[in-house]
Each structure stands twice: as C-alpha cells, then as structure tokens.
Amino acid sequence: MSERLVVIGADAAGMSAASQARRLKDRAALEIVAFERGGFSSYSACGIPYWVGGQVAERDELIARTPEEHRERDIDLRMRTEVTELDVPGKRVHARDLVSGETYWTAYDKLVIATGARPVRPDLPGIDTPGVHGVQTLDDGQALLDTLAATEGHRAVVVGAGYIGVEMAEALVQRGYRVTVVNRGQEPMSTLDPDMGRLVHEAMSGLGIEMVDDAEVTGVVEGDDKRVRAVVTADAEYPADVVVLGMGVRPATDLARAAGLPLGTSGGLLTDVSMRVRGHDDIWAGGDCVEVRDLVAGRERHIALGTHANKHGQVIGSNVGGDYATFPGVVGTAVSKVCDLEIARTGLREKDATAAGLQYVTATIESTSRAGYFPGAATMTVKMLAERRTGRLLGVQIVGREGAAKRVDVAAVALTARMTVDQLTALDLGYAPPFSPVWDPVLVAARKAVTAVRKAG
C-alpha cells in the first residue's frame, strides 16, 4: 500500500528530501506532495546578491530545478500554496491556494518541514514604507530589482552588516549607488571578532561605502511621493532612495510552534541526527528552520546556509525512503565577499569560547596568498583560537584579498577532526609559488598558536 509524504517548502532542504526519497521509492510505494508559498522552487538564495548586482545576468540561472521538472519526477508540487496549520495528532496539513483562495486538508503518513527562515524586520515607524526591502527569496530579489529599475535616485542604505548586509552593499555599489551601511554592532560582520571586523570596516570604507557602526535605526522616513526618503538613527538621518534590510534571519517556525513541536533557544526546530523532529517518529525537518549541533562548542545553534540545507534534505530523503543517513553537526564555516575583499570564518569566536566555558589563546598573523615575490600576491590576516590547556583548535577567521577565503576549509577539516594546532602545523599542504608561500598562512597562524599555548603553560 502506498504511503504519502508531505513536504512543506520547495527550496533546498524540502526538494532535496523529496528528490532523494523519490530515487529510493517509486510512486507505487510513495506518493509525494509538496507545498510552496512562493513562485520558485529549488533555487540558490545565496546567489541573489550577485543577481541584484549584475554578476548573474538572469534570474533563471539561479534555479536548479523548476516546478515542472519536479512534477516530471512524480512529485506533486503545488506552487503559490501556503500551509496554514499542522494537525499533528490527525496527521494532516491545512493549505490555502494563494491564487484561487481555495483551502483544504491533506493527510500524510510522513511529513517534512522545510519552511526556511525569514528576514528580521523590526517593528519600527515606517518600516513598511515602499522602497524598504528584505531579501531572502527570489520573489524578494525580483521585488528589489523592480524598485531599483523604477527609482530615479542613487542613494541606498543597508541596515545591518552581516553576510547579507555586506553582500547587498556590494551589489548596490556594482549598480552605481552611493551606499551607507548602518550597523548596530561595534564592527561589521559580527560573525568575526571585533579586531577582524575592523579590517572589513576599513576595506569597505576604502571602496567608498559609508560605514556607520554602533548605530541603532529608530525609523524610516517617508517622502512626499509616499516612498522611502531616509533612515533615522538616534543621532542622524541618512538619505535613501532604497533601503535593504540585512539584519539577519530567524527560523520560520510559526507553524511548528503552533503545533507544539519542540523548538530551541533561537526558535529553530530540534531534531536528532537523522533530522527527525524529536519525539515525533513521522516528522522530519531541515534547512534554515532547524537548529543543528555545533561540534566545537557542543551545543545547538541556528545557522542558515544552503550547504547545510541540501545535506539535511539528502539525509531526510534517505531516511524517509527506507535507507539510513545522519547529519552529525557543523563547525560553523562560512565565507563571503564585498568587492575584492574575502571574508571567512569557522569554529568559535572569542565570545563563543567564553560562553562555552573554554579557556583559550589567540594568534594573529599577516601573510600572502602566494609567494611574496610572485606577481599577484595578495595580503591576508589570519586569526586562530586554540584551547589553552590542550592546544585543540577552536576557530579560525580570515580576511584578505584573492585566495584568502577558501583557505578556511583546511581549518574546517581540522576542527571536525578535533586536531590540535600542533598537529595542524604538520599537515602536508600543497605548495608552489603561484598558490602559496612555503608556509601556508593557516600553518603560519598554527605555529604562532602553538607558541601561545606553550607560553600559557
């Protein structure tokens, strides 16, 4: 007898799960129904800033698989249809067609929740003024591009200086806008320690971006044309023809909360290593709506990244389809860029290590991406954290030019393997003058960290 799998959300996690389950079971064994409130499926949200900035020419280049392609694989994908209620005891979901207004219940044997995350949109005066945009979905990106096309001025304010904030600042610079970034933090990129964030601040200022740190936005001012005119803080007013909110995201778990499913401190769903929702044998969850295990700090945290979402989907689909797979956790690796500045981090920041009760030492070095004498060698700064007593690697942050960011992958592998900084210095990394100095910058930082650990006793 056929079972029915219902999937809520048709982006990375949801459709990876549906596709993997379909590979393992045909329609006779498993019926798959998926709901998506938006107009697009299986797309790269991470690519939206580069589409807005013009590096990606067409929206459809960001779409990995269309709704029609999913349907050809016997997945009943219902677009522009929002799930409005979960009836967990009754094993059914209530949906509303956003075009026709029709509502109906759909029963399930197995359920996948992949509702993603939503941009933080603070309750401030004027926040809903036309010209103020959050950017999380392709629909959001299209709305922003439509605003840019209809806007005569070229002044933009980005509120927030995390990954989305700095990437959208770059996109707007690429489109010829005068950009101001208003950031409530001490420095941009709060995923870095402040000393490394200062390097990002200096580089962005050097690109002509006005950086305003330690500033809390108190409201948005509407002009005579009923569109955004300025962003206001306690101390100043910043003219704006368009405003982009880059204040981070929160798990979109209102449905799960209303249904009584278990949530963590950040509001993300809690799952076991098979991505099954804790305490519910027939419900799985993945992507930006869940919390995952931090393998370094040993706690649950919310990290919204497409890399994780796709892996979650593969794990879920395998388990739903009768196979077996697990997702053990993450070490917190992420990379970004603003124009030619590359930014990378993995593991713990200083405040993360302190919150975890770890004693640590730090080491910061400056090096180059290639042998110093080789044309095109670019500078980078590498900061490393190590546990004071054991020398275990705790985290790495890198800020630099071409060739800097992906070096963080070496540190990510070392963190996953729970290596010490002493062991890290012995890694047999590739060398040739066009690619690296004799001592790779990560290894130089590890050597300095070893010295710091020994001095700390």
Side-chain angles (χ1 to χ4, degrees):
M1 181 178 176
S2 175
E3 291 185 308
R4 177 183 288 156
L5 168 65
V6 167
V7 178
I8 308 174
D11 198 8
M15 298 319 291
S16 290
S19 298
Q20 177 66 2
R22 174 56 73 226
R23 292 185 192 101
L24 296 173
K25 285 191 174 182
D26 62 20
R27 184 178 180 85
L30 183 69
E31 178 189 1
I32 302 177
V33 179
F35 296 96
E36 169 55 46
R37 62 179 296 177
F40 305 94
S41 66
S42 299
Y43 59 87
S44 172
C46 301
I48 293 173
Y50 308 106
W51 168 41
V52 172
Q55 294 99 319
V56 176
E58 300 292 337
R59 178 190 64 201
D60 289 354
E61 294 179 45
L62 301 180
I63 299 173
R65 190 167 291 174
T66 65
E68 291 75 18
E69 290 172 318
H70 284 299
R71 293 172 187 136
E72 289 171 1
R73 291 165 172 80
D74 285 329
I75 297 172
D76 180 4
L77 176 52
R78 304 175 188 181
M79 303 298 294
R80 299 289 186 189
T81 305
E82 180 180 15
V83 173
T84 58
E85 184 180 349
L86 302 182
D87 177 8
V88 174
K91 300 187 71 170
R92 58 180 187 162
V93 304
H94 189 258
R96 177 166 61 94
D97 187 313
L98 298 177
V99 177
S100 69
E102 177 191 4
T103 64
Y104 55 91
W105 287 96
T106 300
Y108 66 82
D109 297 291
K110 298 176 179 179
L111 175 67
V112 174
I113 301 173
T115 45
R118 60 172 58 94
V120 173
R121 196 177 187 95
D123 185 15
L124 295 174
I127 196 67
D128 294 323
T129 300
V132 179
H133 293 266
V135 183
Q136 180 69 11
T137 67
L138 278 190
D139 295 281
D140 295 336
Q142 187 63 64
L144 174 57
L145 281 172
D146 292 344
T147 291
L148 296 177
T151 299
E152 294 183 1
H154 280 80
R155 300 169 302 178
V157 172
V158 177
V159 182
Y163 291 107
I164 292 296
V166 300
E167 289 171 358
M168 291 309 303
E170 174 188 7
L172 292 164
V173 167
Q174 297 281 358
R175 294 184 67 89
Y177 276 72
R178 300 193 302 276
V179 179
T180 299
V181 176
V182 180
N183 174 37
R184 67 183 299 181
Q186 179 183 351
E187 299 289 355
M189 297 299 294
S190 62
T191 53
L192 305 177
D193 287 323
D195 54 338
M196 297 295 282
R198 168 52 49 174
L199 301 177
V200 178
H201 177 119
E202 293 169 355
M204 293 179 72
S205 295
L207 295 167
I209 298 171
E210 181 183 7
M211 300 297 297
V212 182
D213 294 321
D214 285 321
E216 188 83 34
V217 172
T218 58
V220 174
V221 179
E222 182 181 284
D224 294 337
D225 59 357
K226 304 301 181 182
R227 300 186 59 80
V228 64
R229 181 178 65 79
V231 169
V232 180
T233 69
D235 303 316
E237 183 175 295
Y238 300 94
D241 302 301
V242 64
V243 174
V244 176
L245 303 177
M247 306 171 72
V249 298
R250 294 193 181 111
T253 50
D254 291 345
L255 277 174
R257 186 185 302 276
L261 298 179
L263 305 179
T265 56
S266 70
L269 276 155
L270 296 176
T271 68
D272 61 20
V273 293
S274 70
M275 304 307 299
R276 183 182 275 108
V277 173
R278 295 179 189 177
H280 297 269
D281 290 344
D282 297 320
I283 304 177
W284 286 260
D288 293 353
C289 66
V290 305
E291 294 186 7
V292 294
R293 186 71 172 171
D294 184 323
L295 298 176
V296 186
R299 60 181 175 85
E300 309 302 315
R301 59 186 296 200
H302 178 244
I303 302 178
L305 283 175
T307 51
H308 302 161
N310 279 284
K311 293 171 186 173
H312 296 168
Q314 287 291 307
V315 169
I316 293 168
S318 295
N319 292 318
V320 168
D323 206 341
Y324 177 70
T326 62
F327 183 82
V330 302
V331 294
T333 308
V335 296
S336 186
K337 66 182 284 290
V338 53
C339 296
D340 67 341
L341 182 74
E342 300 183 1
I343 307 159
R345 60 72 51 92
T346 189
L348 307 183
R349 300 163 296 179
E350 290 193 46
K351 69 177 183 180
D352 298 326
T354 299
L358 297 168
Q359 294 186 346
Y360 61 90
V361 298
T362 68
T364 302
I365 63 97
E366 290 187 1
S367 186
T368 55
S369 58
R370 304 172 180 176
Y373 57 81
F374 198 89
T379 60
M380 72 178 73
T381 302
V382 181
K383 180 176 182 177
M384 189 168 288
L385 276 69
E387 191 172 15
R388 180 173 179 173
R389 182 177 63 83
T390 66
R392 176 170 67 105
L393 180 66
L394 296 178
V396 172
Q397 300 164 39
I398 304 174
V399 176
R401 306 293 171 173
E402 183 181 1
K406 287 294 284 180
R407 278 183 159 86
V408 82
D409 289 342
V410 173
V413 172
L415 283 167
T416 305
R418 297 182 64 85
M419 293 176 66
T420 66
V421 287
D422 201 6
Q423 291 171 325
L424 186 56
T425 64
L427 288 180
D428 184 14
L429 303 185
Y431 162 70
F435 305 107
S436 171
V438 172
W439 281 91
D440 187 89
V442 172
L443 300 188
V444 176
R447 290 176 67 183
K448 189 170 182 180
V450 168
T451 300
V453 169
R454 289 174 180 165
K455 285 183 177 178

